[in-house]
Amino acid sequence: MQVVLFGPPGAGKGTQAERIQSTFAIPQVSTGDILRAAVAAKSPLGKQVGPIMAAGELVPDALIIGVVEERLSHSDCARGYILDGFPRTVPQAEQLDAALARIGKRVDCVVSLEVSDAVVHARMKGRGRADDGFEVVQRRLEEYRKLTSPLKEYYQRRGVLRPIEGVGSIDDIARAIASTLASFARPLSR
Ligand code: ADP
């Protein structure tokens, strides 16, 4: 089962991706986590993306696509995965579709966490990550609106978009996501 978890910064994608990971026993692939690890390790990739991330901008498509393709080639991804933070632009989604088509697979479901701008702002204020300063948050939201939100229509047209209310208790949201995904794969507990 190939799942994309979609939503604005602060929608709770990371939290919910972890829940899906344990419910369905497929790995969470978070591009934000991979890039932050590269920055912390001061690897060549990290040195390249560090300043871009600190500014709240998106790293170049060609770069992130290479990173994701490499990660998805690992054996733990053979039964599927949850993508968190990728794709973030239409070209990224097109590349993912093409890569999956080459191996006879597809994105089964795009869970779109629906959260209002006001809630996003409130959540980002309380978080305190290195790239959570006011201006950087504004920049990330701008990038989201301009480059990422058009993906909703892209996946809608392919019939795989499943909007889920992203406000409420973490458990309630996790249950709503699990019941949506249960039609694509069996949860571990059943
Ligand atoms: P958020 O908490 O806003 O969802 P992430 O942790 O997913 O953010 O990503 C943090 C930063 O990493 C982004 O602001 C961006 O600079 C970079 N990044 C992560 N994923 C991608 C991607 N798919 N394309 C381009 N840049 C990305």
Side-chain angles (χ1 to χ4, degrees):
M1 166 173 78
Q2 286 71 241
V3 180
V4 171
L5 204 47
F6 183 81
K13 295 189 295 290
T15 306
Q16 293 300 335
E18 272 174 38
R19 295 297 186 99
I20 303 169
Q21 165 167 275
S22 53
T23 305
F24 292 93
I26 52 176
Q28 163 193 10
V29 174
S30 160
T31 46
D33 286 351
I34 293 172
L35 297 177
R36 277 186 289 277
V39 171
K42 299 190 168 75
S43 69
L45 172 67
K47 285 186 182 146
Q48 199 177 345
V49 301
I52 302 174
M53 293 173 75
E57 282 161 22
L58 294 184
V59 310
D61 285 337
L63 190 71
I64 193 79
I65 287 162
V67 168
V68 170
E69 286 204 23
E70 194 280 328
R71 175 65 188 90
L72 299 186
S73 71
H74 294 196
S75 62
D76 64 330
C77 289
R79 286 182 49 250
Y81 39 80
I82 312 126
L83 287 168
D84 158 17
F86 180 94
R88 239 179 173 94
T89 65
V90 171
Q92 289 179 21
E94 288 169 346
Q95 292 277 339
L96 176 64
D97 281 349
L100 284 171
R102 282 197 291 273
I103 52 170
K105 291 184 178 172
R106 53 173 273 171
V107 169
D108 295 302
C109 184
V110 177
V111 171
S112 174
L113 285 174
E114 305 290 318
V115 177
S116 72
D117 283 0
V119 168
V120 165
H121 279 276
R123 286 186 186 173
M124 306 284 283
K125 261 200 281 185
R127 211 158 69 162
R129 215 170 62 190
D131 56 349
D132 275 354
F134 183 77
E135 270 161 34
V136 176
V137 167
Q138 295 300 335
R139 186 82 188 105
R140 281 161 64 195
L141 290 172
E142 226 174 85
E143 294 276 83
Y144 173 80
R145 267 190 290 272
K146 197 171 56 178
L147 298 167
T148 309
S149 65
L151 275 179
K152 262 174 105 161
E153 201 192 312
Y154 176 94
Y155 284 122
Q156 176 110 53
R157 264 189 270 120
R158 282 158 181 74
V160 292
L161 190 75
R162 298 288 180 276
I164 303 255
E165 175 64 49
V167 182
S169 80
I170 290 175
D171 283 344
D172 285 345
I173 298 165
R175 263 190 292 275
I177 295 174
S179 70
T180 294
L181 294 182
S183 54
F184 301 100
R186 193 169 297 147
L188 273 186
S189 53
R190 281 192 213 161

